[in-house]
Amino acid sequence: MFKIKYKSVALIALLAVSSLPIVSAVNAQETQDSLGASVKVAQDDPYKMVEQVASKTFARIKLEQENIKKDPEIFRTIMEEELMPYIDYRFSAYKVLGKYTRQIKQKELLEFVTVFREYLITSYAVAMGYYDSQFVEFEPAREFANRNDVTVRTVIKDDVRPDIKVAFKVRKDKRSGDWQAYDMIAEGISLLSSKQTEFESILRKEGINSVIERMRESIRQPIVLQNKEA
């Protein structure tokens, strides 16, 4: 199993939360690692994509730790640049809305998707404020040639806590052929399903604008470091 030393359980749990099909010109996006060497994220392989994005994100955080201590808002920039190109946030947004997707006006639906993307960035950034040395093991890749949706399974290991099983749901975009993450399942609990349950009551009682405003309230909150060793 592929092993990487990580900094936060909360971070890893959010890595594969997802959304919109972003069309890429190529199957592998050029990125830079902490040493400045050219690295390609293999979006034509869902297993490699998850591992490489995770590795690069944490390498970037390690590189910018001193700046982050001075300005935790840098986490938002890192999430925007390192994670979001590989998150299918529109698909996730539609999944969260469920049946309400067909009931909402187009203008409001577009606004929801836009705000939901920022909401995800904020959620990732907030999670980055928690630091505790962990190890994540990725299960070996499986055959995916004839599939458009796969689950990348991992185990978060901790010397003092029980192992946590986390699975990343990844889908293949029909237009570009790229793989992107759209959901995370931690110990059997789907992030999208939990958000759908949370939003459903508000949608039913107050409407889409109330959901959008609540997401905006979360986005407006400052990023706070929760551990001195960030």
Side-chain angles (χ1 to χ4, degrees):
M1 298 180 79
F2 182 81
K3 180 178 288 188
I4 302 177
K5 188 171 182 180
Y6 281 160
K7 288 293 188 180
S8 169
V9 169
L11 292 179
I12 298 163
L14 286 169
L15 275 179
V17 184
S18 51
S19 323
L20 142 84
I22 303 174
V23 180
S24 300
V26 293
N27 284 334
Q29 179 167 328
E30 289 284 353
T31 52
Q32 298 292 318
D33 65 15
S34 60
L35 299 178
S38 179
V39 174
K40 289 185 177 181
V41 172
Q43 284 188 268
D44 59 344
D45 184 324
Y47 296 93
K48 289 182 180 179
M49 188 271 288
V50 171
E51 292 181 10
Q52 291 172 351
V53 171
S55 299
K56 285 192 57 57
T57 300
F58 285 98
R60 171 82 177 272
I61 292 170
K62 182 178 180 180
L63 182 67
E64 298 205 38
Q65 279 189 15
E66 290 304 314
N67 291 330
I68 289 171
K69 290 176 183 178
K70 299 174 183 177
D71 181 12
E73 293 295 321
I74 291 173
F75 274 135
R76 294 187 200 262
T77 301
I78 296 175
M79 298 304 98
E80 171 83 39
E81 297 176 355
E82 304 296 344
L83 284 186
M84 292 313 292
Y86 312 100
I87 300 296
D88 190 356
Y89 65 88
R90 181 176 290 126
F91 183 78
S92 294
Y94 291 166
K95 292 280 284 185
V96 167
L97 288 177
K99 65 181 181 180
Y100 292 96
T101 302
R102 298 185 296 274
Q103 302 174 17
I104 298 171
K105 295 179 181 179
Q106 183 67 16
K107 181 179 179 180
E108 294 174 332
L109 182 60
L110 292 174
E111 183 179 9
F112 175 84
V113 171
T114 300
V115 177
F116 186 76
R117 182 179 185 276
E118 296 303 312
Y119 180 73
L120 287 178
I121 291 173
T122 298
S123 297
Y124 301 143
V126 169
M128 293 293 179
Y130 293 83
Y131 278 83
D132 188 15
S133 295
Q134 309 291 333
F135 284 96
V136 174
E137 292 183 346
F138 291 86
E139 288 187 346
R142 299 182 182 183
E143 178 58 47
F144 62 90
N146 297 317
R147 303 189 60 180
N148 294 317
D149 193 301
V150 303
T151 300
V152 180
R153 304 182 190 280
T154 71
V155 178
I156 301 173
K157 292 185 170 292
D158 191 300
D159 293 336
V160 297
R161 302 182 184 89
D163 292 351
I164 301 174
K165 294 181 179 179
V166 176
F168 300 108
K169 302 290 290 186
V170 189
R171 68 189 294 268
K172 186 177 182 179
D173 183 79
K174 294 180 180 179
R175 295 171 295 177
S176 66
D178 290 347
W179 290 86
Q180 291 180 301
Y182 70 89
D183 193 13
M184 177 277 298
I185 302 172
E187 291 296 320
I189 300 176
S190 162
L191 178 66
L192 289 190
S193 294
S194 63
K195 284 299 174 185
Q196 185 177 41
T197 300
E198 177 185 343
F199 290 166
E200 197 278 337
S201 177
I202 305 173
L203 284 165
R204 177 165 39 85
K205 297 177 181 178
E206 304 175 33
I208 187 65
N209 289 326
S210 290
V211 175
I212 292 173
E213 181 53 36
R214 294 194 185 201
M215 289 194 296
R216 282 182 169 145
E217 288 177 5
S218 296
I219 294 168
R220 286 193 287 264
Q221 298 303 309
I223 305 302
V224 179
L225 299 181
Q226 303 296 331
N227 190 298
K228 295 180 180 179
E229 296 182 0

